Amino acid sequence: MEWKKEYLDLVLVPCGLLLVFGYHLFLLYRTTRSPEKTVIGFEDYCRRAWVNKMMQVDVGSRSAAFTVISSNISAATFMASTSLALTSLIGTLVGSSSNSQLLIGRFIYGDTSSSTNSIKFISILACFLLAFGAFIQCARSFVHATFLISMPQAVVPEEYVEGAVIMGSLFWVIGLRAIYFASTLLLWVFGPIPMFVWSICMVMMLHILDQNKNPLHDFQQLNGLNPSMKITEEAPVVTAIEHRDRSHGKGSRYPGTQRG
């Protein structure tokens, strides 16, 4: 049986996809079983603590929460717009694939038939559409969290806000992973060998980046600080008292700090 370069796609492409899928299945298992060992679980823990502390603050003093959520909405909107633009670009390439067929056939070692190229572009298009939908849902979840946090004269359950924030972060992760898959399939356009090499490199990089080595912090409340009071309002008062005591030749009113 004579070896043909088209057979290379049948070997390397499934191996690369199985490698990427297998790693994400392992990451999903590790996130559900030991979330503290993954960056996704650590970030979710910090978000839950953030929601818990923000819900203890009065509605009028939650401007920091609105700023944080607005930045997340802006990032999700930008990524959704980028995914939609790349989807339109891929659609244009699919329509003009016949013009670039000669260029592809000269420099690529692999299957360059029209049917295989259609599968390549359609797979990339599906990944970018999935990323677009995930980022849109991410923005929707954060917008819903904003409505819950800003609700006046009402007791909003903390679980509602926490669920909206965690759901938004989950859709953000799905959108990013879809773009990672799209980058793998994008290199398949240049042949199965670059696609397989990139799959190995990406899994190695993601394995390092998805590991968490930071211990889980308990995020206890600062001593003597009222939750409804802004930290920026407390710091100048403490500084003014210490300056007044030093100017009168007295030690600090706080224990453990004596005048030299």
Side-chain angles (χ1 to χ4, degrees):
M1 183 177 179
E2 184 181 359
W3 170 262
K4 296 182 180 180
K5 65 178 183 179
E6 287 79 8
Y7 297 157
L8 200 60
D9 291 76
L10 300 177
V11 177
L12 294 183
V13 173
C15 291
L17 292 178
L18 285 176
L19 182 63
V20 177
F21 273 110
Y23 168 74
H24 282 88
L25 289 177
F26 167 74
L27 179 63
L28 179 62
Y29 174 80
R30 196 176 185 185
T31 303
T32 54
R33 296 291 181 176
S34 302
E36 70 279 357
K37 297 181 180 180
T38 62
V39 174
I40 297 176
F42 177 74
E43 291 178 351
D44 287 344
Y45 173 80
C46 294
R47 289 187 179 94
R48 289 188 176 93
W50 178 80
V51 171
N52 177 263
K53 298 302 179 182
M54 279 300 173
M55 294 304 292
Q56 298 177 9
V57 181
D58 295 335
V59 177
S61 302
R62 295 176 183 174
S63 59
F66 300 143
T67 303
V68 172
I69 295 180
S70 297
S71 63
N72 284 273
I73 294 174
S74 300
T77 305
F78 172 76
M79 294 300 294
S81 302
T82 304
S83 300
L84 186 61
L86 292 175
T87 301
S88 302
L89 180 61
I90 295 300
T92 304
L93 291 176
V94 171
S96 61
S97 60
S98 59
N99 298 330
S100 59
Q101 185 68 25
L102 296 177
L103 181 62
I104 292 177
R106 291 178 180 176
F107 298 100
I108 292 180
Y109 186 79
D111 192 358
T112 57
S113 62
S114 58
S115 59
T116 303
N117 290 330
S118 299
I119 294 175
K120 295 176 183 179
F121 289 121
I122 291 175
S123 302
I124 299 172
L125 184 65
C127 288
F128 280 122
L129 286 176
L130 176 61
F132 170 74
F135 287 127
I136 288 296
Q137 292 300 316
C138 174
R140 181 193 64 83
S141 299
F142 283 123
V143 168
H144 181 59
T146 305
F147 277 105
L148 294 176
I149 293 177
S150 61
M151 187 176 298
Q153 299 180 356
V155 178
V156 179
E158 183 180 327
E159 292 79 11
Y160 290 1
V161 182
E162 179 181 311
V165 172
I166 296 300
M167 187 62 65
S169 64
L170 176 61
F171 281 117
W172 174 265
V173 172
I174 293 175
L176 289 181
R177 301 293 162 165
I179 292 180
Y180 296 159
F181 274 103
S183 65
T184 303
L185 296 173
L186 184 62
L187 287 180
W188 186 21
V189 177
F190 302 98
I193 297 178
M195 180 264 184
F196 181 73
V197 173
W198 172 247
S199 298
I200 297 177
C201 295
M202 186 179 68
V203 168
M204 294 175 61
M205 290 187 296
L206 290 179
H207 181 67
I208 297 175
L209 295 175
D210 290 333
Q211 289 183 355
N212 175 50
K213 298 181 180 180
N214 297 321
L216 298 181
H217 189 62
D218 53 359
F219 296 103
Q220 293 294 329
Q221 181 178 331
L222 295 177
N223 296 328
L225 183 62
N226 189 358
S228 61
M229 184 180 300
K230 297 182 180 179
I231 299 178
T232 55
E233 296 178 354
E234 181 72 12
V237 176
V238 176
T239 304
I241 294 176
E242 292 180 351
H243 179 72
R244 184 192 62 185
D245 293 340
R246 291 175 181 176
S247 63
H248 289 284
K250 299 179 181 179
S252 175
R253 58 176 296 184
Y254 299 101
T257 57
Q258 300 294 334
R259 182 171 180 267

